Amino acid sequence: MSDSGGPPGLDLGRLRAHLDRERPGLAAGELRARLLEGGRSNLTYAVTDGTSRWVVRRPPLGHVLATAHDMAREHRVVSALAATPVPVPGTVLLCEDPEVIGAPFYVMDFVPGVPYRDEEQLRAIGPEPTRRAVLTLVDTLVDLHRVDPAAVGLADFGRPEGFLDRQLRRWGKQLAASRSRELPSSPAAAVVHGDYRLDNVLMDIAAQDPGGVSGARGPGGVRLTAVLDWEMSTLGDPLTDLGLLVMYTEQRGTGGLPAPTTGGAPGHPSPGEIVRRYAERSGRDVAAVDWYTAFAYFKLAVILEGIHYRWTLGQTVGPGFDRIGEAVPVFIDRGLRTLDRL
């Protein structure tokens, strides 16, 4: 706990003073906060004044890569998507001054919903709601990739030209140096989420709609209330998001290692069905999906190694970090096996 009574990394006294300066009257009572579990990178807190609720996002404690954990970038893309069919939380304010709570941060609206992280959660809701939830996830990804970046003020949000080459150089110079096969040709650039999966969205599955899959904001049935965790978003190849979604769906037998394991739940669509639905609804060529899936395994292995490094320095917050290092060789092996399918 910090001196302000808040969780590690969030000084509630300083946060309240900043809110009072920038948004007078927003907070009416004493602030309380709790760290939201599930995030392995940026820290996410639920904050309340006893009447209203918000969410605060900030970078991890300690070691931070130069281009990672950019709060202004996350705040920008979430704000830009507010007027699109992609459901995102409303943004409240951005603070880039690290002196306020020790790091840049932003505040957004609290959105109700459940992030489904494992098979046990999905088994509790049943096969048909599980199926509708995952297909709604796919449909929302199609909605995201249909957004015209220029129309929402994101024309300069990334550099789509040479996107895959830069991604490979960024995630591993050795792989770029030893590559013997050509990269897939990227389709037209889209807003890419960068870590699109079931537990990075919030679902409302309280009502059941036997008529079929409802849209992200459709009446009744499954409703995807918000897409979260935009820290890796950019303009680039939309199939990198699809490869990630397939990779996460394939996970089995991780033995408690830190990866979502929802794919084995009754009613969960197979990776093949997910790819087919995306292709049918988007009209994109998905023939190279195995390459993108293998790249997703590789990227996740690199991310987990960085989280493991922060854990060795005592700079992470939350349970389960002691086992993350064990996952790195597992995902590298699975990525190599995926490449064998090419």
Side-chain angles (χ1 to χ4, degrees):
M1 303 293 281
S2 68
D3 292 340
S4 65
L10 185 63
D11 187 309
L12 291 179
R14 288 179 173 271
L15 174 64
R16 176 60 187 269
H18 185 76
L19 292 177
D20 288 345
R21 285 194 302 272
E22 300 298 322
R23 294 291 303 272
L26 179 70
E30 180 181 356
L31 296 183
R32 303 188 304 277
R34 61 185 176 89
L35 181 69
L36 295 177
E37 294 185 8
R40 303 286 178 180
S41 185
N42 287 340
L43 301 179
T44 307
Y45 308 87
V47 178
T48 182
D49 63 355
T51 302
S52 301
R53 291 188 290 177
W54 306 274
V55 171
V56 175
R57 289 268 285 174
R58 59 149 291 165
L61 308 179
H63 173 74
V64 174
L65 297 177
T67 58
H69 317 293
D70 188 335
M71 294 295 98
R73 186 176 183 83
E74 225 182 285
H75 179 269
R76 180 184 175 189
V77 69
V78 173
S79 299
L81 292 172
T84 75
V86 181
V88 291
T91 52
V92 176
L93 63 81
L94 167 70
C95 176
E96 298 184 81
D97 182 0
E99 297 301 317
V100 176
I101 66 167
F105 68 95
Y106 73 96
V107 182
M108 56 185 164
D109 294 336
F110 181 92
V111 178
V114 178
Y116 288 91
R117 296 192 174 96
D118 55 47
E119 293 178 15
E120 183 178 352
Q121 286 179 291
L122 293 178
R123 288 177 187 276
I125 65 173
E128 188 55 32
T130 292
R131 175 179 170 77
R132 293 200 306 271
V134 176
L135 295 183
T136 299
L137 181 71
V138 178
D139 294 349
T140 304
L141 184 61
V142 173
D143 287 341
L144 172 63
H145 292 164
R146 283 177 176 159
V147 172
D148 179 354
V152 295
L154 295 175
D156 61 345
F157 193 61
R159 294 182 295 143
E161 300 78 11
F163 175 76
L164 292 182
D165 268 315
R166 285 199 313 278
Q167 285 281 296
L168 285 176
R169 287 197 300 270
R170 175 183 177 185
W171 294 102
K173 293 182 180 179
Q174 290 184 351
L175 178 60
S178 62
R179 191 176 71 227
S180 61
R181 289 173 281 194
E182 291 301 315
L183 301 179
S185 297
S186 291
V191 178
V192 173
H193 181 274
D195 196 18
Y196 195 78
R197 62 189 200 233
L198 191 58
D199 68 328
N200 271 345
V201 305
L202 299 178
M203 290 281 185
D204 177 5
I205 314 184
Q208 299 192 12
D209 174 16
V213 178
S214 299
R217 295 183 184 274
V222 170
R223 191 166 70 97
L224 196 159
T225 58
V227 181
L228 308 176
D229 292 359
W230 293 88
E231 64 185 276
M232 300 177 71
S233 59
T234 188
L235 298 188
D237 190 328
L239 296 184
T240 55
D241 276 342
L242 179 62
L244 273 164
L245 186 54
V246 170
M247 182 271 290
Y248 283 120
T249 302
E250 289 181 345
Q251 298 315 306
R252 300 286 192 284
T254 56
L257 294 180
T261 53
T262 62
H268 197 294
S270 68
E273 185 176 0
I274 286 172
V275 171
R276 287 192 298 273
R277 187 177 186 90
Y278 179 89
E280 291 168 359
R281 295 204 162 222
S282 68
R284 298 182 187 274
D285 181 356
V286 298
V289 68
D290 284 343
W291 187 94
Y292 290 94
T293 304
F295 177 59
Y297 275 111
F298 173 65
K299 186 168 73 168
L300 182 60
V302 175
I303 292 170
L304 293 176
E305 184 66 17
I307 297 172
H308 171 70
Y309 177 64
R310 289 197 298 274
W311 175 77
T312 65
L313 300 177
Q315 296 173 343
T316 55
V317 177
F321 289 101
D322 57 328
R323 300 205 60 202
I324 284 182
E326 301 173 28
V328 175
V330 173
F331 287 106
I332 290 175
D333 178 67
R334 292 179 180 181
L336 290 172
R337 294 183 185 183
T338 304
L339 283 177
D340 288 340
R341 301 201 297 254
L342 294 176

